[in-house]
Structures are given as structure tokens and as C-alpha cells.
């Protein structure tokens, strides 16, 4: 059943290139445009959307945070993202022009379900992004975009996350395509890049041995910090969540720009800090700022584990450990940057003798509020 792997999680990490490709399958036409007829929300209705609200829990929430960057950039529609458990109880402002996107691997998460019911009662349209055919969340939504990750057995979400990202990009790009924005050329270029991305995920997987070795060498540590900026920030949160769940270690993700507002006080000699570095092309200001952050924490003794694009030489002098990821458009980087963090957490859990597929106290789907 585990296809020769020791754990379902390892199998599911390895399945990611296929999961990503399957989620794109049939959704990009020969001319390089998106065809999402399955959305069942008419292009007219999509043109009227004036606000997007994303609701989800856990890893799916991190996918939602990344969706916000993509949606606001490519469509210029304001987008909020909120933990489903918070959203439901704060009397959110919703109306028929609000498109609510509920992201859930299982389709059975009670907090997300209650949040979507609340949104529909206010007259908003709900689009589910879900991995489980016929589950409750898509059944109760107005429309559904299925991720095609296949069954995910390990409690820690991996391939479902990558496919949720793909689905979020598809929705953002489709909204941009339907509404016609000044980003038309960029949208077409990114659709072409998306079509190639599964091969890049594959390449990351082929280079993970040093990450596993590093994880084993850190098995005795108590704390690991994760820093990121822009879409690298939710990736940092996801890396920290994986480590908590699997390795039972204290792990925290921060927006790198927040360092000097508090977290830098945590830095001490030999503390492992994972930094997700944005591409030096495009938003080079962000890149340069994060390089100074790496310098700052290293000067205070941190052991820097730097995840950076191939060809990014500026980080080399400050990286105690350097993990290379392929060059991608800025917004797509989470698809490749998350993979080393999954491998890192899985290997640390194994080295600490933890139950990888079934961490203590956790259930695969949380069907109580
Ligand atoms: O099935 P869902 O996507 O709605 O589940 C949401 C979270 O419970 C889930 O992502 C959880 O955080 C995972 N165990 C993370 O690895």
C-alpha cells in the first residue's frame, strides 16, 4: 500500500509532481488559456465579484494566504483570508458580490463547513477547493474545483497542499483572464510556467539528500525558526506547522520584516533558522531585504538554513546550509520552496523516533468545532 516507502508521508511527498500535473490536466487548452467550465459560476457573475474571502484551517489556510497574493496581483480584487474558526464568529461583512473560497483537503472540516454555511446564508457564492469527491464541503458549495492529489493518508498534509496552491493559482489566473486586466501578458506567461512546474517539483525531490542529512543532525534541537517574506511568509508558517506536527518541536514562522519588532530577541548561538528567499529577479527589493535579515541573524549566532533560487549568489556568504530551488515566477515559488520543508520535517520526525503518519493527538480530518 505504501508503494515501497516506509511511510505514507514519504510516498505522498514523492507523488507531488504527478499530483500537480493531474490538477492542471484538462484545465489549460491548446491555445494556453484556462478552461474552468466546471466552476459553474458564469463569467458574467465572476466579473461582478468585488471581494474575495478565503476560509480554511491549518495547511489549507496557508494555501489561502498564498492565494491572496495571487488574486490581488492578477485580478486587483480585494481578497481577505481568514481562519475558518475565527471567521464564523465575528459577524463578517458579506454580500452576493463576495466570492467565498473554502479550501479543504478532506471536505469534512467542521470549522470550514460552518463558515461556508454562514457565508451562503448571507447570499455569498461559495467556491470549494477540495480533494475529496462528493464530500460535504463541495456538496454544500455553489461550485467546486477539485484538486487531483489522490487520497492523502498521512495526517500531515503534503501533496494536497501543493495541489491546493495550483487550484488557487488557477482561480486567480482565471478571474484575471475573464475580467481582463492589464496583466494579460503576464497571466499568459504564468499559465505557460505552471504547465512546466511539475518537472521542477520533481527536480527538487531529486536533490533532497543533503536536507535529510541536515535534519538528522538537528534531531536533538528544541527550537527551529522559519522566516519568509511575501509568498515565502506562508511557506515559513507551513514549514513550522509541519515541524510541530511531526517532530513535536517548538517551531515558529515569522514574516522576515517583523524580526526587529521582536523575534530577533530569540536568536542565540547555533539556533537553526530556515529562511525562504524570494527570487532576486522581479521583486529585487524584497530579496535584498531578506539577505540583510540573514546577515543580521547570522551575526547573532544563528545557524542559517537558506532556501534560495539557483543562481542567487548574494546569499552564499551567509548560508551555513544552502538548499537550491529552481527558478520560477515569484508567485509560484511556494510550489518548489515548500518541498524541502516537508522533507526536513519528515526526516526530523523519523530521527526523533516519532510516528510519522499518525502524530500524537491529531486526526486526519477534524470533524468537530
Ligand atoms: O481537510 P482540511 O484541508 O480541511 O484540513 C485542514 C487542516 O486540519 C489540515 O490542513 C491540518 O492542518 C494538517 N494536519 C496539516 O498538515
Amino acid at each position: 500500500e505504501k508503494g515501497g516507502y516506509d511511510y505514507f508521508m514519504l510516498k505522498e511527498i514523492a507523488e507531488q509532481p504527478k499530483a500537480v500535473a493531474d490538477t492542471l490536466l484538462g484545465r489549460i487548452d491548446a491555445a494556453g488559456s484556462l478552461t474552468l467550465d466546471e466552476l459553474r459560476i458564469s463569467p458574467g457573475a465572476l466579473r461582478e465579484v468585488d471581494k474575495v474571502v478565503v476560509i480554511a484551517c491549518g495547511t489549507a489556510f496557508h494555501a489561502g494566504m498564498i492565494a491572496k497574493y495571487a488574486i490581488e496581483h492578477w485580478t486587483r480584487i480585494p481578497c481577505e483570508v481568514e481562519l475558518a474558526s475565527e471567521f464564523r464568529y465575528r459577524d463578517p461583512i458579506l454580500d452576493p458580490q463576495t466570492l467565498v473560497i473554502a479550501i479543504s483537503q478532506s471536505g469534512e472540516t467542521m470549522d470550514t463547513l460552518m463558515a461556508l454555511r454562514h457565508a451562503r446564508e448571507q447570499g455569498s457564492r461559495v467556491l470549494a477547493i477540495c480533494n475529496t469527491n462528493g464530500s460535504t464541503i463541495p456538496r454544500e458549495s455553489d461550485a467546486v474545483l477539485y484538486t487531483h492529489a489522490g487520497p492523502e493518508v498521512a495526517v500531515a498534509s503534503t501533496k494536497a497542499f501543493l495541489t491546493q496552491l495550483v487550484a488557487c493559482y488557477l482561480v486567480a489566473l482565471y478571474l484575471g483572464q475573464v475580467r481582463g486586466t492589464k496583466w494579460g501578458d503576464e497571466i499568459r506567461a504564468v499559465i505557460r510556467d505552471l504547465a512546466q512546474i511539475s518537472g521542477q517539483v520533481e527536480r527538487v525531490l531529486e536533490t533532497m539528500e543533503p536536507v535529510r542529512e541536515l535534519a538528522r543532525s538537528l534531531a536533538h534541537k528544541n527550537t527551529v525558526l522559519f522566516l519568509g517574506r511575501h509568498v515565502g511568509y506562508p511557506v515559513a508558517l507551513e514549514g513550522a506547522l509541519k515541524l510541530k506536527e511531526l517532530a513535536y518541536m517548538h517551531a515558529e514562522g515569522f514574516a522576515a520584516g517583523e524580526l526587529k519588532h521582536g523575534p530577533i530577541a530569540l536568536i542565540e548561538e547555533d539556533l537553526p533558522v530556515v529562511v525562504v528567499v524570494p527570487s532576486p529577479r522581479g521583486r529585487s527589493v524584497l530579496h535584498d531585504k531578506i539577505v540583510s535579515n540573514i546577515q543580521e541573524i547570522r551575526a547573532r549566532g544563528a545557524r542559517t538554513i537558506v532556501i534560495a533560487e539557483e543562481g542567487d549568489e548574494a546569499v552564499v556568504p551567509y548560508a551555513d546550509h544552502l538548499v537550491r530551488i529552481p527558478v520560477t515566477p515569484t508567485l509560484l515559488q511556494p510550489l518548489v520552496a515548500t518541498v524541502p520543508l516537508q522533507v526536513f520535517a519528515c526526516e526530523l520526525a523519523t530521527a526523533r523516533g516519532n510516528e510519522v503518519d499518525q502524530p500524537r493527538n491529531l486526526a486526519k480530518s477534524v470533524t468537530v468545532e
Side-chain angles (χ1 to χ4, degrees):
E1 243 187 350
K2 292 181 194 149
Y5 292 92
D6 289 345
Y7 307 108
F8 278 107
M9 185 178 178
L10 286 173
K11 173 171 176 267
E12 289 163 4
I13 288 174
E15 284 170 348
Q16 292 185 111
K18 180 170 188 304
V20 163
D22 287 351
T23 301
L24 288 164
L25 203 68
R27 290 168 172 167
I28 303 177
D29 69 18
S33 297
L34 297 179
T35 46
L36 294 186
D37 304 340
E38 57 199 288
L39 277 193
R40 287 185 303 151
I41 302 179
S42 70
L46 289 177
R47 276 191 282 270
E48 274 162 26
V49 169
D50 64 6
K51 182 167 82 165
V52 177
V53 175
V54 186
I55 47 173
C57 304
T59 288
F61 172 72
H62 298 150
M65 286 179 78
I66 292 164
K68 174 182 164 80
Y69 290 88
I71 289 169
E72 292 195 338
H73 178 70
W74 287 322
T75 73
R76 308 308 296 151
I77 307 171
C79 175
E80 292 168 15
V81 48
E82 193 160 355
L83 293 166
S85 53
E86 288 295 319
F87 172 85
R88 169 70 184 83
Y89 294 100
R90 72 167 175 87
D91 198 12
I93 300 162
L94 299 161
D95 62 34
Q97 267 82 55
T98 310
L99 175 67
V100 173
I101 302 179
I103 309 177
S104 174
Q105 187 286 130
S106 62
E108 301 296 346
T109 298
M110 187 55 75
D111 285 314
T112 311
L113 180 61
M114 297 310 280
L116 93 78
R117 283 185 183 157
H118 183 72
R120 291 199 73 198
E121 279 160 18
Q122 316 298 306
S124 299
R125 280 198 178 78
V126 178
L127 164 65
I129 291 179
C130 185
N131 195 45
T132 313
N133 257 301
S135 55
T136 312
I137 288 172
R139 276 205 323 266
E140 292 205 14
S141 298
D142 296 281
V144 53
L145 188 63
Y146 279 109
T147 50
H148 295 151
E152 191 180 64
V153 177
V155 165
S157 186
T158 55
K159 60 176 181 171
F161 177 66
L162 256 60
T163 60
Q164 283 161 357
L165 289 179
V166 169
C168 290
Y169 294 133
L170 289 175
V171 170
L173 292 163
Y174 186 67
L175 276 170
Q177 183 182 291
V178 166
R179 295 163 65 102
T181 63
K182 65 172 181 163
W183 303 111
D185 289 343
E186 185 181 320
I187 288 175
R188 277 184 291 277
V190 171
I191 293 173
R192 281 196 298 276
D193 289 322
L194 254 186
Q196 307 296 318
I197 206 89
S198 123
Q200 292 179 305
V201 175
E202 183 79 61
R203 274 178 47 215
V204 177
L205 286 169
E206 284 161 5
T207 59
M208 285 296 95
E209 194 42 43
V211 172
R212 280 189 282 268
E213 234 169 76
L214 171 65
R216 288 192 291 271
S217 76
L218 298 174
H220 61 287
K221 292 280 183 190
N222 298 317
T223 299
V224 180
L225 301 184
F226 294 78
L227 299 178
R229 262 192 113 111
H230 191 257
V231 290
Y233 169 42
V235 171
L237 294 177
E238 175 62 8
L241 178 63
K242 289 281 99 82
L243 209 59
K244 286 175 210 166
E245 277 188 295
L246 294 161
Y248 316 149
M249 286 165 84
H250 170 227
E252 271 196 80
F254 297 108
E258 277 291 293
L259 257 184
K260 54 188 159 308
H261 300 288
I264 201 164
L266 292 169
I267 307 294
E268 57 188 18
E269 201 55 40
D270 215 33
L271 177 77
V273 184
V274 179
V275 189
V276 183
V277 181
S279 163
R281 301 156 303 107
R283 262 158 260 239
S284 60
V285 192
L286 283 186
H287 171 267
D288 298 352
K289 290 199 162 161
I290 222 164
V291 174
S292 349
N293 292 144
I294 304 173
Q295 277 177 266
E296 283 157 10
I297 57 170
R298 197 157 183 269
R300 288 163 179 79
R303 165 121 63 119
T304 56
I305 302 163
V306 176
I307 306 201
E309 216 174 60
E310 282 154 7
D312 180 350
E313 295 307 318
V315 295
V316 175
Y318 315 110
D320 294 311
H321 306 272
L322 185 54
V323 181
R324 289 297 191 186
I325 51 175
V327 174
T328 58
T330 304
L331 282 161
L332 302 189
Q333 197 201 47
L335 286 170
V336 290
T338 307
V339 175
L341 306 186
Q342 300 167 339
V343 171
F344 182 68
C346 185
E347 191 69 24
L348 254 163
T350 312
R352 287 163 73 95
N354 296 352
E355 184 51 67
V356 170
D357 286 336
Q358 188 52 261
R360 66 185 184 199
N361 308 337
L362 291 172
K364 180 66 184 160
S365 63
V366 183
T367 53
V368 289
E369 267 192 272

